[in-house]
């Protein structure tokens, strides 16, 4: 088994919310990016999508940067639908996904750089043009807009923007990622590429 196959198998087996077909579509989009630069994801959870990106990074000689505060999104907090009590740090009483993330990405530690921070804290310090930006952070309207405003402009011309959990029908899911997708497309700076499921893929043209 090649290393790419090993990373993709690890991604498929990892805990997380990304369906296999969308994960493979993300891998393919990252593998096909024609411009230089790193692959950066906003929102890592336990590292499943980072492994899909790492498989592409391995094949193309890139690095993956993941940005997450590892305290979980709103839906992961106590009393919410996706809360997992076993992820609560007894010392702080807060959710902490960093240990699980590290265990997941262990096979790709040479390819993945993890930044433990809020995306809006890191963004002003970041100057390297991105080859790919994957937006999959908190899905409230405020946080989704904040991630868009902070990071989309850092994508290189010719680079790829991927947005996860885009659901045109509110009955299927939250509307914040759909709002990001529609605003970016309406800017006239992007061309939509083929997507899969709730994953939308766009190329920056200018």
């Amino acid at each position: 088994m090649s290393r790419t196959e090993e990373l993709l198998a690890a991604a498929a087996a990892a805990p997380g919310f990304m369906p296999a077909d969308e994960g493979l579509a993300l891998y393919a989009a990252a593998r096909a990016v024609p411009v230089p630069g790193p692959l950066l994801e906003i929102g890592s959870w336990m590292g499943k999508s980072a492994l899909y990106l790492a498989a592409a990074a391995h094949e193309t000689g890139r690095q993956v940067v993941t940005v997450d505060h590892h305290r979980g999104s709103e839906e992961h907090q106590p009393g919410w639908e996706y809360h997992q009590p076993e992820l609560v740090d007894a010392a702080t009483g807060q959710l902490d996904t960093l240990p699980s993330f590290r265990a997941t990405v262990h096979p790709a530690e040479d390819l993945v750089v993890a930044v433990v921070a809020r995306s809006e804290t890191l963004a002003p310090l970041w100057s390297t043009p991105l080859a790919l930006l994957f937006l999959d952070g908190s899905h409230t309207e405020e946080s989704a807009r904040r991630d868009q405003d902070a990071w989309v402009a850092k994508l290189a011309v010719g680079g790829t923007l991927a947005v996860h959990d885009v659901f045109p029908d509110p009955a299927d899911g939250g509307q914040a990622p759909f709002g990001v997708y529609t605003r970016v497309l309406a800017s006239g700076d992007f061309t939509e590429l083929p997507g899969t499921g709730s994953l939308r893929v766009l190329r920056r043209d200018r």
Side-chain angles (χ1 to χ4, degrees):
M1 182 182 291
S2 69
R3 190 175 186 201
T4 296
E5 292 171 332
E6 290 174 353
L7 291 171
L8 291 176
F17 304 105
M18 175 169 277
D21 60 341
E22 295 179 12
L24 290 173
L26 179 64
Y27 155 74
R31 188 169 177 260
V33 176
V35 298
L39 316 174
L40 188 143
E41 74 167 359
I42 304 297
S44 307
W45 189 233
M46 295 189 198
K48 188 179 187 76
S49 55
L51 286 178
Y52 283 113
L53 292 173
H58 166 66
E59 292 192 14
T60 57
R62 303 182 193 269
Q63 292 291 133
V64 179
V65 179
T66 71
V67 185
D68 198 309
H69 51 63
H70 288 283
R71 295 301 188 190
S73 300
E74 288 76 7
E75 66 270 21
H76 303 133
Q77 304 309 316
W80 288 70
E81 181 179 2
Y82 293 104
H83 179 59
Q84 296 177 237
E86 68 275 13
L87 297 177
V88 175
D89 182 347
T92 64
Q94 293 182 293
L95 208 70
D96 186 1
T97 57
L98 184 56
S100 299
F101 171 86
R102 290 198 66 177
T104 297
V105 302
H106 176 71
E109 284 187 348
D110 59 320
L111 298 166
V112 177
V113 178
V115 180
V116 182
R118 294 186 175 277
S119 75
E120 68 270 22
T121 301
L122 178 64
L125 309 176
W126 189 274
S127 59
T128 303
L130 301 172
L132 177 138
L133 173 63
F134 177 46
L135 293 179
D136 193 24
S138 174
H139 290 355
T140 67
E141 183 64 28
E142 179 185 0
S143 62
R145 281 181 176 269
R146 193 166 55 229
D147 289 342
Q148 177 187 348
D149 292 343
W151 288 98
V152 170
K154 299 181 185 299
L155 189 64
V157 173
T160 297
L161 172 65
V163 186
H164 195 220
D165 293 331
V166 174
F167 297 108
D169 185 346
D172 294 329
Q175 292 296 281
F178 178 69
V180 171
Y181 157 74
T182 54
R183 285 190 298 274
V184 168
L185 202 53
S187 72
D189 295 338
F190 287 79
T191 297
E192 186 163 10
L193 303 175
T196 298
S198 73
L199 182 73
R200 298 292 184 274
V201 182
L202 305 101
R203 181 186 66 241
R204 183 174 183 182
D205 296 324
R206 61 184 185 187

